[in-house]
Amino acid sequence: MNSKIIKQLQVMFTASPQLMRDSDLLRKAINGTFGVDINISSFDNLATLTEIIDHEVLKNYFSKVWQPQTKKYKYSGLSIIDEVNNLQPKKVLDLGCGYNEFKGKINNLIGIDPYNDKADVQSGILEYNAQTNFDVVICLGSINFGTVDKIYTELEHAVSLTKDGGILYFRVNPGTQHEALEAKWIEFFQWTSEFIINSAERLGCELVTLNQDMGERGSRYYFKLKKL
C-alpha cells in the first residue's frame, strides 16, 4: 500500500471529515490533490481508496508522461538484447515492458504492461499467469513501486514464472524520486544491495551479477538471477 497517499488522505479527512460522506466533493478533492479523476460513488475505507488512487497515479504517469531511457544504461540497456538471444530462449517474458522496446529484437518475447497499449498483454505483474514457464524473464524498472511486502511478492511471482535454470534480469531504483510533477505521489521502493542479495537466496536463486548502472535519472541497481 502506498504510504504517501494514505498519509495524505488521513490529513485530508482529518481536516475535512465531510469528504467521507460526500462522494462528489471527495472526487474533486482527490483530483485537486493527486491529479487523477476517479469514479467513486461512496467512501468505503482508506485502504481501498488508497489502492484506487495509487493505480490511477501510476497509470497517469506511465501512460502519459514517462519516456523510456533504455539506451542510456550500460548494463541493463540495449546490450542485453544480444545476451538474451545468445541463450537461445524458447520463451521470454518482459514484465512491465512499457513501450515494448524489445519486441522484434529479442526472440520469442511476450511483453506485458498494465498501462501501455504497446504491450502484447495488458496486465499487472501479479495478475499475469502462464501455462508454461519462461526461459528468461526481464524486469527493467517494473518492480519498483510500493512497500516491501508488495515488492517481495512481485519478486516471488517473477521467479515463479521462470523455469528452473532460467535467467531473470532486473533494473531497480534505490528510491530516487522522478522529477515530473505527475510522479509526486508515486512511492518508489528503496532497493539496497543487501535486500537484493538476501532476497535471491530466499527465493532459491543464484545471484549471477550485481552492478551499479547509471542512467539519466540517476544510479540504479542492475542484477541478474539464475533460478536453481
Side-chain angles (χ1 to χ4, degrees):
M1 184 180 299
N2 187 316
S3 62
K4 293 168 69 172
I5 291 175
I6 197 168
K7 287 177 182 177
Q8 182 60 30
L9 287 173
Q10 288 172 329
V11 170
M12 292 165 60
F13 287 140
T14 301
S16 305
Q18 66 269 31
L19 293 174
M20 290 184 279
R21 298 293 180 262
D22 188 329
S23 59
D24 184 59
L25 187 60
L26 176 58
R27 179 181 173 183
K28 292 175 182 176
I30 289 170
N31 195 10
T33 302
F34 302 105
V36 293
D37 188 11
I38 67 172
N39 184 14
I40 184 169
S41 59
S42 63
F43 172 74
D44 186 9
N45 58 67
L46 273 175
T48 300
L49 186 57
T50 299
E51 292 297 329
I52 293 171
I53 295 171
D54 184 46
H55 175 81
E56 291 302 317
V57 165
L58 287 165
K59 180 180 178 181
N60 181 59
Y61 181 60
F62 285 104
S63 66
K64 298 179 181 179
V65 179
W66 174 84
Q67 293 295 318
Q69 300 286 334
T70 305
K71 63 183 180 180
K72 303 292 185 180
Y73 291 96
K74 178 179 179 180
Y75 299 108
S76 60
L78 300 179
S79 62
I80 76 166
I81 294 172
D82 288 339
E83 183 175 344
V84 172
N85 283 333
N86 287 338
L87 296 173
Q88 298 183 329
K90 294 180 180 178
K91 291 183 67 179
V92 178
L93 177 64
D94 191 347
L95 279 176
C97 66
Y99 289 91
N100 216 356
E101 293 178 277
F102 294 135
K103 190 70 175 180
K105 299 172 184 175
I106 291 178
N107 299 330
N108 306 316
L109 180 137
I110 296 173
I112 77 157
D113 195 277
Y115 312 119
N116 200 307
D117 59 11
K118 298 287 187 181
D120 298 303
V121 179
Q122 285 200 270
S123 170
I125 290 173
L126 296 178
E127 290 72 36
Y128 182 77
N129 289 287
Q131 293 182 339
T132 59
N133 287 354
F134 293 82
D135 303 289
V136 173
V137 174
I138 299 169
C139 309
L140 302 184
S142 53
I143 301 183
N144 271 332
F145 314 107
T147 50
V148 64
D149 56 327
K150 178 175 181 287
I151 294 295
Y152 192 76
T153 300
E154 290 179 345
L155 273 177
E156 285 182 314
H157 192 58
V159 172
S160 76
L161 292 167
T162 309
K163 290 181 178 179
D164 291 347
I167 304 296
L168 299 97
Y169 293 83
F170 295 88
R171 184 200 306 129
V172 296
N173 187 341
T176 304
Q177 186 70 33
H178 289 198
E179 293 181 358
L181 178 63
E182 293 84 353
K184 177 181 178 180
W185 297 104
I186 296 175
E187 184 171 40
F188 292 92
F189 179 69
Q190 295 182 6
W191 281 87
T192 65
S193 57
E194 293 83 3
F195 181 73
I196 293 168
I197 292 167
N198 293 331
S199 294
E201 181 179 359
R202 178 63 182 170
L203 292 167
C205 294
E206 174 191 352
L207 180 61
V208 178
T209 299
L210 174 58
N211 289 315
Q212 292 279 335
D213 204 1
M214 183 63 71
E216 285 193 351
R217 296 190 180 100
S219 180
R220 300 291 187 263
Y221 288 110
Y222 164 70
F223 64 99
K224 184 165 60 173
L225 302 180
K226 181 177 181 180
K227 183 176 179 180
L228 301 176

